[in-house]
């Protein structure tokens, strides 16, 4: 099942106990299996170090009620993220590839960036003005020195020559006199100082010039062989400029992990207005650019409907590093993800996460070097799954470092789930995180206006309480930068 079936739109706060359809099915199936003695989806043992199995209240149960608790095998939210990262780290190290500078933006360098030349590679003028030799006044040569020209004729003591910023400084020049700091007398000789400043030291031509003033000496920034950036540095626009200046035409980088998206659900429309029980597919357009922002190369987006055979063929035929499916992760009659994973012998690493929205997400190892992240079909629940399981895996595969954690106080109180972590969209207003409304599992209105997701602990959070935040990729870097 995919996408929203019903939500309570327009409320100021989404009830923390509201479940989307897939979450409800997953939880009910687990409760039913517990009471019947048979293992349901939420009851099956999950491979991997997933910690304890605390008893949790079934829907509608009161805290402390005897006999009203079900065994809940879902993985705690922080641990689910750690499992995804460990799964990526367990894979063989990815072979670096050389790429041109213009194709390397957003990638991670696979070797330290060392200078291939001195920077600057020759003494250059830092200003427009005159290159001078010795103390003034100076006789000015008729020729000038421009950037990009061959080595100019050396200067004799008492000589000066016009020079442009970035031009090669003549040998034996002792300084560069800025244009605004010099003037020519009636005989054409150059003096240091302002000709119009009558009675001042400058008008008498005694402006002091330090040796080497406004000359960038060869190797001032670095010498050939100096390490400029360490292994693992992210290629930003500034890094591209530095690499080019240091002599590089290409860089050895960690290749982007390849991701393939399978959109499931017969009720989805690729265009037009919703009609006749059909709804627009929001995840097909949203997930590929989001995955690219997380460091992936999206090789394909395929709409498979609710077709078990098509899903089996697509998964077994994929050569992507990460398969991302949408919907079909609960236990409904057309939820084919779990049966298909069992059929191919996949290893479930995470089967349900204690987070709202997005509880029925999953992570499976489908091949030795391939994983699958199953996202719930509701849009905000899918975002939750993306940032819980896909982000740490793609970040690790791409060689990126984890972002530094940070907190901000809440602008107002937030209702929490009784026993699960809750992720809510927030806007960043000064030094506070303002919770956004329209944050139900099927809603995108809140996340579309958000700069981050706040991590709300079980039970909720009061106004002013410091909460961990997860930045959205475009919040700090801008739309164009993060999706390259």
């Amino acid at each position: 099942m995919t996408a929203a079936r019903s939500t309570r739109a327009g409320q100021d706060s989404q009830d923390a106990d509201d479940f989307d359809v897939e979450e409800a099915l997953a939880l009910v199936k687990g409760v039913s299996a517990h009471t019947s003695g048979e293992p349901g989806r939420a009851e099956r043992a999950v491979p991997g170090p997933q910690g304890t199995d605390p008893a949790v209240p079934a829907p509608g149960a009161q805290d402390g009620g005897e006999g009203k608790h079900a065994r809940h095998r879902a993985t705690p939210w922080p641990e689910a993220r750690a499992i995804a990262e460990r799964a990526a780290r367990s894979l063989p190290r990815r072979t670096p590839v050389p790429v041109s500078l213009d194709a390397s933006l957003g990638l991670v360098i696979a070797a330290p960036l060392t200078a291939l030349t001195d920077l600057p590679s020759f003494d250059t003028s830092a200003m427009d003005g005159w290159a001078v030799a010795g103390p003034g006044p100076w006789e000015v040569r008729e020729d000038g020195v421009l950037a990009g020209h061959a080595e100019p004729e050396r200067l004799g003591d008492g000589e000066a020559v016009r020079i442009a910023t970035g031009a090669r400084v003549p040998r034996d020049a002792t300084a560069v006199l800025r244009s605004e700091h010099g003037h020519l007398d009636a005989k054409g000789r150059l003096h240091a100082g302002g000709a119009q400043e009558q009675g001042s030291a400058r008008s008498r031509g005694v402006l002091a010039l330090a040796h080497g003033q406004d000359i960038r000496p060869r190797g001032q920034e670095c010498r050939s062989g100096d390490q400029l950036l360490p292994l693992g540095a992210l290629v930003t626009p500034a890094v591209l400029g530095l690499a080019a200046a240091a002599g590089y035409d290409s860089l050895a980088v960690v290749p982007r992990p390849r991701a393939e998206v399978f959109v499931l659900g017969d009720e989805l429309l690729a265009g037009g207005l919703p009609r006749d029980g059909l709804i627009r597919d929001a995840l097909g357009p949203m997930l590929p650019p989001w995955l690219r922002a997380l460091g992936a190369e999206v090789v394909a987006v395929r709409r498979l409907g609710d077709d078990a055979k098509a899903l089996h063929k697509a998964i077994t035929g994929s050569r992507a590093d990460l398969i991302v499916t949408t919907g079909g992760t609960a236990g409904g009659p057309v939820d084919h993800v779990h049966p298909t994973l069992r059929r191919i012998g996949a290893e479930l690493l995470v089967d349900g996460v204690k987070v709202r929205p997005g509880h029925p997400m999953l992570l499976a190892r489908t091949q030795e070097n391939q994983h699958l992240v199953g996202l719930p079909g509701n849009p905000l629940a899918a975002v939750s799954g993306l940032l819980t399981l896909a982000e740490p895996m793609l970040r690790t595969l791409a060689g990126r470092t984890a972002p530094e954690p940070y907190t901000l106080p809440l602008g107002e109180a937030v209702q929490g789930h009784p026993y699960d972590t809750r992720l809510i969209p927030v806007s960043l207003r000064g030094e506070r995180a303002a919770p956004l409304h329209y944050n139900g599992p099927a809603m995108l209105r809140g996340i579309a206006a958000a700069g981050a997701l706040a991590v709300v602990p079980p039970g909720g959070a009061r106004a002013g309480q410091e909460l961990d935040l997860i930045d959205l990729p475009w919040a700090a870097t801008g739309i164009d930068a993060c999706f390259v």
Side-chain angles (χ1 to χ4, degrees), residues 125 127-133 138-141 143-145 155 159-164 169-170 173-184 188-193 209 213-215:
S125 176
M127 292 287 173
D128 291 335
W130 295 269
V132 299
W138 302 274
E139 297 292 335
V140 181
R141 294 203 316 227
D143 57 335
V145 183
L155 283 178
E159 283 189 317
V161 65
R162 270 285 185 182
I163 194 166
V169 173
T174 54
V176 169
L177 177 65
R178 301 185 185 189
S179 295
E180 63 269 26
H181 291 167
H183 71 277
L184 299 175
R189 290 181 302 177
L190 175 66
H191 296 262
L209 272 182
Q213 184 168 322
D214 287 326
I215 294 176

Side-chain angles (χ1 to χ4, degrees), residues 15-400:
D15 189 335
D17 286 318
D18 274 352
F19 304 121
D20 64 13
V21 173
E22 292 181 337
E23 290 177 326
L25 281 171
L27 191 55
V28 169
K29 188 169 182 179
V31 173
S32 173
H34 173 72
T35 56
S36 66
E38 297 179 2
R41 188 192 69 79
E43 277 293 293
R44 288 195 301 274
V46 181
Q50 297 191 253
T52 60
D53 291 22
V56 295
Q62 300 297 317
D63 290 342
E66 289 294 330
K68 294 182 180 179
H69 291 72
R71 302 294 290 174
H72 190 66
R73 299 289 302 200
T75 305
W77 181 76
E79 191 171 341
R81 301 189 83 204
I83 289 171
E85 185 171 327
R86 286 199 299 270
R89 292 194 185 282
S90 70
L91 298 173
R93 188 170 182 178
R94 298 167 62 76
T95 302
V97 295
V99 299
S100 62
L101 290 186
D102 60 357
S104 64
L105 183 64
L107 300 178
V108 166
I109 58 174
L113 186 72
T114 57
L116 302 180
T117 182
D118 296 343
L119 283 182
S121 54
F122 46 81
D123 293 349
T124 61
S125 176
M127 292 287 173
D128 291 335
W130 295 269
V132 299
W138 302 274
E139 297 292 335
V140 181
R141 294 203 316 227
E142 290 185 1
D143 57 335
V145 183
L146 300 177
H149 287 211
E151 183 176 3
E153 182 182 348
R154 71 190 305 162
L155 283 178
D157 190 42
E159 283 189 317
V161 65
R162 270 285 185 182
I163 194 166
T165 301
R168 189 167 187 163
V169 173
R171 284 185 294 165
D172 296 335
T174 54
V176 169
L177 177 65
R178 301 185 185 189
S179 295
E180 63 269 26
H181 291 167
H183 71 277
L184 299 175
D185 63 19
K187 297 181 179 180
R189 290 181 302 177
L190 175 66
H191 296 262
Q196 303 304 316
E197 299 180 19
Q198 297 299 324
S200 70
R202 288 177 181 265
S203 69
R204 296 190 296 272
V206 294
L207 178 68
L209 272 182
H211 191 279
Q213 184 168 322
D214 287 326
I215 294 176
R216 291 189 63 212
R218 176 174 182 166
Q220 181 186 50
E221 187 169 359
C222 66
R223 290 290 185 180
S224 180
D226 285 353
Q227 180 173 312
L228 305 177
L229 291 170
L231 165 73
L234 182 68
V235 180
T236 64
V239 170
L240 290 179
L242 176 62
Y248 285 86
D249 298 316
S250 63
L251 293 172
V253 297
V254 179
R256 296 182 187 274
R258 292 160 54 87
E260 193 165 8
V261 179
F262 300 151
V263 180
L264 312 181
D266 288 339
E267 73 276 26
L268 300 179
L269 290 169
L273 294 174
R275 62 182 184 274
D276 302 327
L278 303 177
I279 60 175
R280 279 295 299 269
D281 169 28
L283 297 182
M286 179 175 72
L287 289 181
W290 207 318
L291 289 167
R292 284 192 287 270
L294 296 178
E297 174 192 354
V298 179
V299 297
V301 179
R302 301 173 60 186
R303 291 178 170 83
L304 303 180
D306 291 318
D307 188 327
K309 290 183 179 179
L311 179 60
H312 177 270
K313 182 178 180 180
I315 292 176
T316 55
S318 175
R319 296 297 175 262
D321 301 296
L322 181 66
I323 298 170
V324 178
T325 63
T326 70
T329 56
V334 291
D335 290 337
H336 300 304
V337 175
H338 279 92
T340 302
L341 293 176
R342 287 194 295 270
R343 181 181 174 189
I344 66 175
E347 179 186 5
L348 278 172
L349 304 177
V350 174
D351 191 7
V353 177
K354 295 180 181 178
V355 66
R356 307 290 168 163
H359 173 275
M361 66 182 74
L362 63 85
L363 171 65
R365 181 181 289 114
T366 50
Q367 298 180 35
E368 183 178 357
N369 60 347
Q370 183 188 75
H371 290 79
L372 180 146
V373 167
L375 302 178
N378 274 320
L380 188 57
V383 170
S384 174
L386 192 71
L387 296 179
T388 299
L389 298 176
E391 186 276 334
M393 173 156 280
L394 290 173
R395 166 172 41 81
T396 304
L397 290 174
R400 297 183 177 185

